[in-house]
Amino acid sequence: MQVSFSRLQLIFLLLLSLGISNHVLIIPHLLQEAGRDAWVSILAAYVILIGWSFFLYLILKSMGITPFNSWLEAKGGKIGYWIIVSGLTLYLLVAGTMIIFDTVKNINIFFLPSTPNAVIIFSFIILSFGAARSGLKTLIYLSILLLPIVWILGIGVSFMTVKSKDYSMLYPLFTEGFTPDLRGIVIVFGGSIDLMILLLLQHKLKKPLNYGTVAILLTLLAGLIMGPTIGSITAFGPFQAANMRFPAFEQWRLVMIGNHISHVDFLAAFQLMAGSVMRTALIIFLAAELIGYRMQKYKRAIMVVATLIMALPSIMQLSDIRAQKIIHSYFYGYSFWFGVMITAALLVIAYFPRKKADIANENVT
């Protein structure tokens, strides 16, 4: 029996699974590129993303409750279908690789430096694979349970570190000109392309999404970048924060409860694991949905293969410096253009119907 979910349940899932990207993946690269002006880049990117999200909504409106694969195949034909599905699948696999690599590296650096890398990797991917295999219903219910705790902890660390912050660090602006801010905008936009996941999930809802829901979700996700970014700049200064591997995580090191309790950064580990497991599991699930559209009985095998592909750089112990250099130099820029081109292509497919002659020729072949 097909289970349908509410818009609120979907928001819980996406805030937990996509929000971890905003916390862990984007912020270090944003601070390195835009420095003190990082928060300005977020504001500017948010304005652009609001415009982009309207075009995304138009595509969602065209789809209605039709599954993405079925809609795309009917509207775009076989060639268009395979090009776009291949692009989205590649994007999901790269995004999954990044979150597995960063999560394993975080655990290895801060908590388990003496534990063999293989133990950390396989423990994490087995947990994520198990959640993905259980299905979307399990992922959503876990998100409803975990997100309030994660959110309370996030708000708590921001308030408990107020005395350690100097908000004058946010100024002056544009000391390095506008170029770093523009590069920061590209990073925030490229990292927010994750919102296209809505295309793959809308048919699971009781009602199609409206633009208000899309805009609210985007605003909350932007807030998840803005809060830790401002917190890192004001707590450590723009230059020191830019040199940190996990600046949002480092803020937990400043937390003191009373005069005798410190080192509560294990709570940050809970936040990290909750978001990372949900993000990895969702990517595994969606990759299997995309690739296994016509191969339903092979979905579990596809999940296994996708999981192993995403874990491969971590298993091979790729240099962290090299990995971050590749991500910083290529991923966000390519992700930016990928999001723009996919959105434009889907808009054309949605609102410019194919000619009957083209459809007839395709049916003949």
Side-chain angles (χ1 to χ4, degrees):
M1 184 177 67
Q2 182 70 35
V3 179
S4 296
F5 304 99
S6 68
R7 294 168 183 170
L8 182 61
Q9 288 174 320
L10 182 65
I11 287 176
F12 270 76
L13 173 64
L14 294 184
L15 284 178
L16 187 57
S17 59
L18 304 189
I20 192 66
S21 170
N22 296 9
H23 259 65
V24 177
L25 300 179
I26 295 177
I27 293 175
H29 300 283
L30 176 61
L31 289 169
Q32 289 171 28
E33 203 63 74
R36 192 191 309 274
D37 293 348
W39 65 278
V40 179
S41 294
I42 297 170
L43 286 176
Y46 172 71
V47 174
I48 298 170
L49 283 165
I50 284 292
W52 170 77
S53 67
F54 179 73
F55 296 115
L56 179 64
Y57 164 70
L58 292 178
I59 300 168
L60 291 166
K61 185 178 179 182
S62 172
M63 287 173 52
I65 59 172
T66 306
F68 177 74
N69 293 71
S70 303
W71 175 85
L72 181 60
E73 191 172 37
K75 288 274 192 175
K78 292 181 180 179
I79 295 176
Y81 172 83
W82 284 112
I83 290 174
I84 291 175
V85 165
S86 298
L88 287 173
T89 302
L90 178 61
Y91 177 83
L92 288 174
L93 292 176
V94 172
T97 300
M98 288 170 58
I99 194 62
I100 291 174
F101 187 88
D102 266 36
T103 303
V104 170
K105 187 59 63 177
N106 184 288
I107 294 170
N108 184 256
I109 291 172
F110 290 102
F111 296 103
L112 302 174
S114 300
T115 302
N117 204 51
V119 174
I120 299 173
I121 295 167
F122 285 106
S123 298
F124 178 72
I125 64 175
I126 288 171
L127 185 61
S128 301
F129 176 82
R133 181 183 170 187
S134 299
L136 190 62
K137 182 177 180 181
T138 298
L139 299 183
I140 284 181
Y141 288 174
L142 280 173
S143 298
I144 293 171
L145 176 66
L146 294 173
L147 182 63
I149 303 172
V150 170
W151 207 307
I152 290 170
L153 290 174
I155 294 172
V157 70
S158 65
F159 280 104
M160 287 186 284
T161 56
V162 166
K163 293 182 180 179
S164 303
K165 294 174 181 177
D166 179 5
Y167 288 89
S168 66
M169 291 281 189
L170 298 173
Y171 304 97
L173 300 176
F174 311 123
T175 55
E176 302 295 328
F178 293 99
T179 303
D181 300 72
L182 294 175
R183 291 197 292 261
I185 290 171
V186 170
I187 288 175
V188 176
F189 191 103
S192 300
I193 292 301
D194 283 350
L195 203 61
M196 287 193 299
I197 284 176
L198 289 172
L199 297 170
L200 310 179
L201 292 172
Q202 179 171 252
H203 69 282
K204 301 286 187 180
L205 300 179
K206 296 175 183 176
K207 297 179 181 179
L209 292 163
N210 54 33
Y211 181 65
T213 303
V214 176
I216 289 171
L217 181 57
L218 178 59
T219 302
L220 293 173
L221 289 171
L224 290 175
I225 311 176
M226 180 67 82
T229 299
I230 290 178
S232 298
I233 294 171
T234 55
F236 307 112
F239 305 107
Q240 184 65 29
N243 290 326
M244 290 178 173
R245 181 65 176 83
F246 299 101
F249 183 89
E250 293 286 357
Q251 292 179 58
W252 278 97
R253 299 291 182 91
L254 304 175
V255 174
M256 288 283 295
I257 302 176
N259 296 320
H260 306 288
I261 300 176
S262 62
H263 295 293
V264 294
D265 44 354
F266 64 90
L267 295 172
F270 174 83
Q271 286 183 303
L272 174 70
M273 290 303 297
S276 297
V277 169
M278 294 304 300
R279 179 175 176 81
T280 307
L282 182 61
I283 288 173
I284 295 169
F285 174 83
L286 292 176
E289 288 280 304
L290 271 177
I291 303 170
Y293 171 58
R294 293 188 175 280
M295 302 178 290
Q296 295 294 321
K297 63 180 180 179
Y298 297 114
K299 273 190 176 181
R300 190 169 298 176
I302 293 170
M303 284 185 177
V304 173
V305 173
T307 304
L308 292 176
I309 290 173
M310 293 188 298
L312 196 59
S314 297
I315 294 171
M316 296 176 64
Q317 298 192 40
L318 178 67
S319 164
D320 186 49
I321 294 175
R322 184 178 179 185
Q324 296 310 306
K325 186 176 181 179
I326 292 171
I327 293 169
H328 189 86
S329 301
Y330 300 106
F331 174 75
Y332 291 106
Y334 284 130
S335 179
F336 173 89
W337 289 112
F338 171 76
V340 170
M341 289 188 293
I342 286 288
T343 304
L346 292 175
L347 273 173
V348 170
I349 289 171
Y351 290 98
F352 291 88
R354 299 162 64 210
K355 295 179 181 179
K356 292 182 179 179
D358 295 336
I359 299 173
N361 291 333
E362 188 175 278
N363 291 333
V364 171
T365 58

